[in-house]
């Protein structure tokens, strides 16, 4: 195995492993990181940005350092290095779990069991399910599939292509911390500020690649490009905006509008206003688009990694 192809073989094996196996039911490395980050938070928490920044540095720095040490130790063996890359890719990519959760909700809606769909929605996103009807739940699922295609698949692959295993684990650490403390609750508004800003920076390239690939892999490239250019900047998130807008255009649906999180109502701009309202069958269409985008992102990341290695040599 050539040294410049270690990432290609490892990342492909890891993504295939996620496709075939999904996430483990017990002992998931990301869950272990979450427990460790929670323990660090208990020691460091203060209602202050500086302490939150320290928390972020300790947790992300620890994950990246561990990955760097493992990479260095296994570098003499290309087979072991590829295996480490495969394991890391499988651990940080969550495309199959995303598809399964979306599919479970979609099947409940197709069966007319809206209460089951409402009960399952919190496993996928933070919306208030009791405020949503069937089409509202479907829209929430499609938006979550779009956003998490970037967060749970493409972003990790991009950083893996840039920095190998440390990039894979570092991105997942940043993304996990943002989910834990990066929201604007009273407790975390200041403490989680650094995690949220770092997540915005780390997610920037993956979000743009996701949006670009959705225009290629979707059913309406012109619609996807038009929605991305016109509506992405309207979204409050600099990274979710391009992704959700391009998915909306590619699928021919409207996303955005009034949302409810934790009892707080938000009135967001509509993305792809020319599209139709989301319906239950659009969940499967969004999942299929997400799958295609993930595999295309693997190809782009591998090509980028080979290009970087070629220039260094």
């Amino acid at each position: 195995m050539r040294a410049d192809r270690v990432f290609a073989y490892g990342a492909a094996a890891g993504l295939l492993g996620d496709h075939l196996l999904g996430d483990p039911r017990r002992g998931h490395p990301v869950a272990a990181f979450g427990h460790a980050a929670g323990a660090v938070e208990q020691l460091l928490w203060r209602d202050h940005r500086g302490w939150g920044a320290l928390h972020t540095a300790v947790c992300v720095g620890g994950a990246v350092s561990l990955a760097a040490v493992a990479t260095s130790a296994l570098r003499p063996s290309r087979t072991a290095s590829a295996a480490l890359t495969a394991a890391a890719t499988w651990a940080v990519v969550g495309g199959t779990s995303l598809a399964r959760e979306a599919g479970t909700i979609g099947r409940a809606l197709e069966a007319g069991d809206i209460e089951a769909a409402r009960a399952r929605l919190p496993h996928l996103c933070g919306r208030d399910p009791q405020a949503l009807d069937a089409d509202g739940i479907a829209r929430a699922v499609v938006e979550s599939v779009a956003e998490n295609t970037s967060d749970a698949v493409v972003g990790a692959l991009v950083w893996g292509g840039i920095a190998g295993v440390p990039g894979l684990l570092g991105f997942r650490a940043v993304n996990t911390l943002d989910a834990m403390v990066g929201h604007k609750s009273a407790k975390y508004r200041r403490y989680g500020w650094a995690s949220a800003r770092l997540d915005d920076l780390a997610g920037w390239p993956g979000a743009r690649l996701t949006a670009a690939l959705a225009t290629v892999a979707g059913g309406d490239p012109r619609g996807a490009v038009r929605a991305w250019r016109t509506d992405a900047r309207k979204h409050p998130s600099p990274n979710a905006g391009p992704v959700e807008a391009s998915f909306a255009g590619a699928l021919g649906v409207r996303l955005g509008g009034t949302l409810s999180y934790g009892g707080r109502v938000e009135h967001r701009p509509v993305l792809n206003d020319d599209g139709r309202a989301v319906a239950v069958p659009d969940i499967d269409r969004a999942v299929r688009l997400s799958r295609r985008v993930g595999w295309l992102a693997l190809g782009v990341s591998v090509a980028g990694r080979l290009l970087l290695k070629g220039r260094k040599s």
Side-chain angles (χ1 to χ4, degrees), residues 229-310:
R229 294 179 59 185
T230 303
D231 298 330
R233 66 179 66 90
K234 300 176 183 177
H235 197 287
S237 168
N239 294 330
V243 173
E244 291 187 21
S246 63
F247 263 67
L251 297 171
V253 299
R254 295 192 305 272
L255 299 179
T258 301
L259 312 174
S260 178
Y261 287 95
R264 185 182 73 254
V265 176
E266 295 184 16
H267 300 284
R268 293 184 179 176
V270 173
L271 307 177
N272 192 38
D273 195 33
D274 293 335
R276 57 175 174 77
V278 176
V280 174
D282 293 315
I283 293 176
D284 284 340
R285 296 178 63 227
V287 168
R288 291 195 298 271
L289 177 56
S290 175
R291 288 286 199 193
R292 293 193 295 271
V293 167
W295 285 106
L296 288 172
L298 173 66
V300 173
S301 299
V302 165
R305 183 72 173 173
L306 293 174
L307 182 61
L308 286 173
K309 288 289 187 179

Side-chain angles (χ1 to χ4, degrees), residues 105-122:
I105 297 170
R107 287 189 294 273
L109 292 174
E110 289 172 353
D113 192 349
I114 192 169
E115 291 304 321
R118 284 172 174 160
R120 199 68 193 177
L121 186 62

Side-chain angles (χ1 to χ4, degrees), residues 58-148:
V58 168
C59 294
V60 176
V64 172
S65 297
L66 180 63
V69 168
T71 299
S72 179
L74 296 179
R75 185 169 289 120
S77 171
R78 294 172 184 172
T79 300
S81 296
L84 175 65
T85 302
T89 302
W90 169 76
V92 304
V93 168
T96 293
S97 293
L98 173 64
R100 286 176 179 172
E101 290 294 344
T104 297
I105 297 170
R107 287 189 294 273
L109 292 174
E110 289 172 353
D113 192 349
I114 192 169
E115 291 304 321
R118 284 172 174 160
R120 199 68 193 177
L121 186 62
H123 290 81
L124 188 63
C125 63
R127 308 283 176 85
D128 294 332
Q130 298 304 320
L132 299 173
D133 58 11
D135 288 346
I137 293 174
R139 191 191 81 191
V141 171
V142 170
E143 290 172 353
S144 295
V145 167
E147 184 174 0
N148 284 295

Side-chain angles (χ1 to χ4, degrees), residues 142-196:
V142 170
E143 290 172 353
S144 295
V145 167
E147 184 174 0
N148 284 295
T149 298
S150 177
D151 289 343
V153 182
V154 180
L157 292 173
V158 167
W159 281 101
I162 293 171
V165 173
L168 288 165
L169 268 61
F171 177 82
R172 178 54 59 224
V174 170
N175 194 249
T176 302
L177 274 184
D178 178 62
M180 294 176 66
V181 305
H183 38 88
K184 296 181 179 179
S185 64
K187 180 177 181 180
Y188 293 119
R189 185 177 299 275
R190 282 179 283 272
Y191 187 81
W193 177 86
S195 291

